[in-house]
Amino acid sequence: MRALDLDYMLGLLPILLKYLPLTLGMASVSMILALLLASLFAIIRVVRLPVLDAATRVFISFFRGTPLLVQLFLFYYGLPQLFSFLTAIDGISAAIIGLTLHFSAYMAESIRAAILGVDRSQWEAAKSIGMSTGQMMRRILLPQAARVAAPTLINYFIDIIKSTSLAFTLGVTELMGAAQKEAAGSFLYFETFIVVAVIYWAVVESLAFVQTQIENRLSKAVNR
Amino acid sequence: MIQIRGLTKIYDGVPVLSGIDLDIKKGERIAIIGPSGTGKSTLLRCLNFLETPEQGEYVLDGKSIDVQKAKASQIKEMRLRTAFVFQNYALFANKTARENIAEGLITVRGEAKETAFERADEILRDIGLADKADAYPASLSGGQQQRVGIGRAMANNSELMLVDEPTSALDPEWVDEVLQLLTRVAQARQTMLIVTHEMAFAKEIADRVLFMEGGRIVEQGPPEKIFTSPDDLRTRSFLRKVL
Ligand SMILES: Nc1ncnc2c1ncn2[C@@H]1O[C@H](COP(=O)(O)OP(=O)(O)OP(=O)(O)O)[C@@H](O)[C@H]1O
Ligand SMILES: [Mg+2]
């Protein structure tokens, strides 16, 4: 075994950290869009809106049933061949769209389960005072479901952050893409990728810490 | 004020309400008594459209609503005209006592938050829970939760209050405070339909007592009559068991 090139690793850290904002940016935008989309899907499924319910089910099944990498290639390389207006799409946007759709499918199921887990009496009380289904969802059920789903949703955010590394296959120079380039120059593959791994790890661990804080806060605020 | 005609509700082929006819006059306080599983809750739930009956009509100020063909706007009107007090309180778990009371005013009636909160605080003072305005339901006792539930029903100024066994989920120690509050609401001549197993309470506040069995109103009359000399054998045997 040869010794690790520690100087190289220390020098690499600041270079790679410059790409962390892009990684986190892509992950955050995807997370927010996925949350919105997933809430919409969950409501459609819970209320069993005709036609849309069936369509949503197929969508969810497809995006859970196929690899994210395949989906990303489909969006970035495949779709522009069918729709010429998509040729302008850059790797970052394609990655965000792919991550959003992929994870919205998973998150929709967690949110749906959380809504269905809210006590029936909450629906009845909301309906009894004359709320529409939309008002009931927005003001009563979703806030309570969010509390239940929060830990799972944060886990998906962690997954999203890690999955942004796939964007390098679409030519995006994010954390993983930058590392790939550095390694190709230095040939120090182990040093390079262990530094990348540690950066992801640190980010995920800080998030896990925040997650615990949020969970403590939520369980204190409204305990049922 | 509200007339119910031929109300029928069927679960799994079994009629739970079999053609209920009932006229509710403004300011009237009606107690419903009867054995378990005779459709008392179902009747209240149908009036609030928490259940859709198979047959019947509601007549409101001369306007008729066919329950099977009720439009969303008519269902909403019926819900605004009635206010439900649930056996298990059913307070919104993500809202404070104040927010629970103000929720309908804000979301359904479109009132400004400030005025709705003022009204809620007024009610909280009235029901003796001013110091619990910011408390979430989980931190309130059963009795306090039910009082907020009654407060929520009061806030909407609904014509008809539907109260379903308000004390049967409560620990005995909280029963009195809830009955006292309901007695005050009744004394203010709030029109109400109240299902209860508390016979003394029914006797005290009701203008009329309905005895239900098997999805029908078997007998009705003023409490003095029903509780002392009921005509129907079924009423008699029921009262013998509970009194
Ligand atoms: N959602 C439902 N599905 C099927 N059957 C139901 C449903 N709700 C009520 N029932 C049945 O309808 C009948 C009447 O029920 P309801 O709750 O109205 O009775 P109740 O008079 O309020 O009884 P209790 O005094 O026990 O509250 C019961 O036999 C009950 O099992
Ligand atoms: Mg009942």
Side-chain angles (χ1 to χ4, degrees), chain B residues 11-12 16 34-43 45 51 87 164-165 195 197:
Chain B
Y11 283 124
D12 311 322
V16 171
S36 190
T38 46
K40 306 182 297 295
S41 299
T42 306
L43 172 59
R45 293 169 58 81
E51 307 289 347
Q87 187 170 354
D164 191 9
E165 296 194 36
V195 176
H197 290 302

Side-chain angles (χ1 to χ4, degrees), chain A residues 140-176:
Chain A
I140 309 299
L141 300 186
L142 282 178
Q144 293 186 45
R147 224 169 55 228
V148 176
T152 321
L153 295 178
I154 294 175
N155 280 341
Y156 282 126
F157 186 44
I158 289 173
D159 261 2
I160 291 180
I161 292 174
K162 291 188 290 186
S163 303
T164 53
S165 61
L166 292 176
F168 99 92
T169 63
L170 310 185
V172 180
T173 312
E174 38 64 70
L175 201 46
M176 182 63 190

Side-chain angles (χ1 to χ4, degrees), chain A residues 50-127:
Chain A
V51 187
L52 282 178
D53 183 20
T56 304
R57 227 185 285 199
V58 173
F59 176 96
I60 290 175
S61 162
F62 177 81
F63 279 93
R64 283 169 36 131
T66 52
L68 175 56
L69 189 58
V70 174
Q71 293 163 16
L72 290 176
F73 276 35
L74 203 53
F75 286 121
Y76 188 62
Y77 299 111
L79 279 187
Q81 294 191 333
L82 292 191
F83 307 100
S84 50
F85 65 91
L86 284 174
T87 35
I89 197 169
D90 58 305
I92 295 181
S93 313
I96 288 176
I97 294 173
L99 289 167
T100 298
L101 297 181
H102 182 80
F103 282 95
S104 70
Y106 281 94
M107 286 161 43
E109 289 300 275
S110 324
I111 296 174
R112 182 175 86 102
I115 296 175
L116 290 176
V118 174
D119 198 275
R120 190 81 211 163
S121 68
Q122 301 288 305
W123 299 58
E124 298 197 333
K127 286 287 176 188

Side-chain angles (χ1 to χ4, degrees), chain A residues 9 35-36 52 89 124 126 134 158 164 187 197 201 206 220-222:
Chain A
M9 288 166 72
L35 260 181
L36 293 175
L52 282 178
I89 197 169
E124 298 197 333
I158 289 173
T164 53
F187 296 108
W201 189 17
S206 351
K220 237 182 277 165
V222 211

